[in-house]
Amino acid sequence: QVQLVESGGGSVQSGGSLRLSCAASGYTYSSYCMGWFRQAPGKEREGVAAIDSDGSTFYADSVKGRFTISQDNAKNTLYLQMNSLKPEDTAMYYCAARGGFKPPYGGIIQADFDYWGQGTQVTVSS
């Protein structure tokens, strides 16, 4: 059974940085996509970044140039390096995974992912 466990959230001032981690286990797909989503209070969950097992990366426009998604296959760990954080980045951040590459159409869509972590809170103060 696939398990995803996020860590690394916390509180930071505007302009600061955080690195989120997602430890994955039970994953047996030869090709896959892993992603980060976030959900702020009262808002829908939105895709932030995703990475295919071949290294292709995808970003939401709101985080391009500030966030970097990466993976360490030896450690089965997904990362999200977040720089130049803004108060509007405040949200619960979730790790997600799916078997197979990200579909070529559209953005980073919640419905395309099958497995989810419990989330880690990121709070950015002004």
Side-chain angles (χ1 to χ4, degrees), residues 26-78:
Y27 220 67
T28 59
Y29 296 100
S30 58
S31 64
Y32 56 85
C33 179
M34 297 190 73
W36 289 98
F37 288 76
R38 66 186 181 187
Q39 187 167 19
K43 294 188 177 181
E44 292 188 355
R45 191 172 296 189
E46 63 171 347
V48 174
I51 184 168
D52 283 339
S53 49
D54 68 353
S56 299
T57 57
F58 311 88
Y59 294 95
D61 288 343
S62 58
V63 305
K64 279 181 182 176
R66 300 189 299 124
F67 290 12
T68 302
I69 190 170
S70 62
Q71 57 188 355
D72 185 331
N73 292 328
K75 296 182 179 180
N76 293 327
T77 301
L78 178 73

Side-chain angles (χ1 to χ4, degrees), residues 37 46-47 98 102-103 105-113 116:
F37 288 76
E46 63 171 347
R98 58 167 278 141
K102 176 189 172 302
Y105 52 81
I108 304 164
I109 300 171
Q110 181 177 348
D112 289 336
F113 289 79
W116 294 86

Side-chain angles (χ1 to χ4, degrees), residues 16-32:
S17 298
L18 282 174
R19 188 177 79 158
L20 305 183
S21 299
C22 172
S25 60
Y27 220 67
T28 59
Y29 296 100
S30 58
S31 64
Y32 56 85

